Amino acid sequence: MKRLFTILFLLLGLTLNLKAEGYSVDDIVEVQTENRYRFVVNQDGILSDEAVKTLDSLCYSLRHRGIAQVSIVAVNDIDNPRDPHEFAMELFTKWGVGNKERDNGLGILLVKDMREIRFVTGYGIEAELPDAMCVRIQRNYMLPHFRNDDYSTGM
């Protein structure tokens, strides 16, 4: 009987460890604090190096021209159970994405294992990038590539 409890205890421990693998907001590294030319967090290597360089360049250009401040995060998983939209809101708010006066932030969160992509926009860019347009971009340009495990092209 003691052996059975030991085995059950070990299995429970393994199960809890598997559930705890998702990132918390505090686990995501804000790359821009280390390098002002970086805007893409790719801690799990979901995106190719070339895609990260291209996205970083695009995000820098948008920021430099005063159009938008963009941060992109691609991770395998987040804390479960956790709503990806709430996670994205908390993360990008914590980082202060967007200019305070213009509220022109755009945060993009890809959670691969949950098959979720979320856009968080500041009020200052909602006229140019309303929710309906974000959904169309995801549905028409991103998701077809994601379905083929081509996250780099989709992003």
Side-chain angles (χ1 to χ4, degrees), residues 77-131:
D77 204 2
I78 58 175
D79 287 343
N80 281 325
R82 188 78 189 262
D83 176 61
H85 182 73
E86 288 176 14
F87 186 94
M89 289 290 292
E90 183 180 339
L91 177 68
F92 297 125
T93 299
K94 176 185 173 191
W95 288 0
V97 176
N99 179 289
K100 283 189 179 193
E101 293 81 37
R102 300 168 100 189
D103 198 10
N104 63 344
L106 169 62
I108 301 174
L109 173 68
L110 168 66
V111 185
K112 182 180 171 187
D113 291 351
M114 295 177 83
R115 302 176 60 91
E116 295 282 349
I117 180 80
R118 297 288 181 209
F119 287 20
V120 176
T121 56
Y123 291 116
I125 63 169
E126 282 189 345
E128 292 82 19
L129 194 61
D131 291 342

Side-chain angles (χ1 to χ4, degrees), residues 31-32 36-40 56 59-60 63 70-72:
V31 294
Q32 195 167 38
R36 68 185 185 124
Y37 299 105
R38 295 200 49 214
F39 302 85
V40 179
D56 279 338
C59 293
Y60 179 79
R63 183 180 188 132
V70 183
S71 287
I72 300 170

Side-chain angles (χ1 to χ4, degrees), residues 31-63:
V31 294
Q32 195 167 38
T33 59
E34 299 168 3
N35 182 337
R36 68 185 185 124
Y37 299 105
R38 295 200 49 214
F39 302 85
V40 179
V41 176
N42 188 36
Q43 288 177 215
D44 295 325
I46 295 168
L47 306 174
S48 69
D49 291 342
E50 184 175 322
V52 170
K53 287 177 188 172
T54 300
L55 290 167
D56 279 338
S57 177
L58 177 62
C59 293
Y60 179 79
S61 177
L62 289 169
R63 183 180 188 132

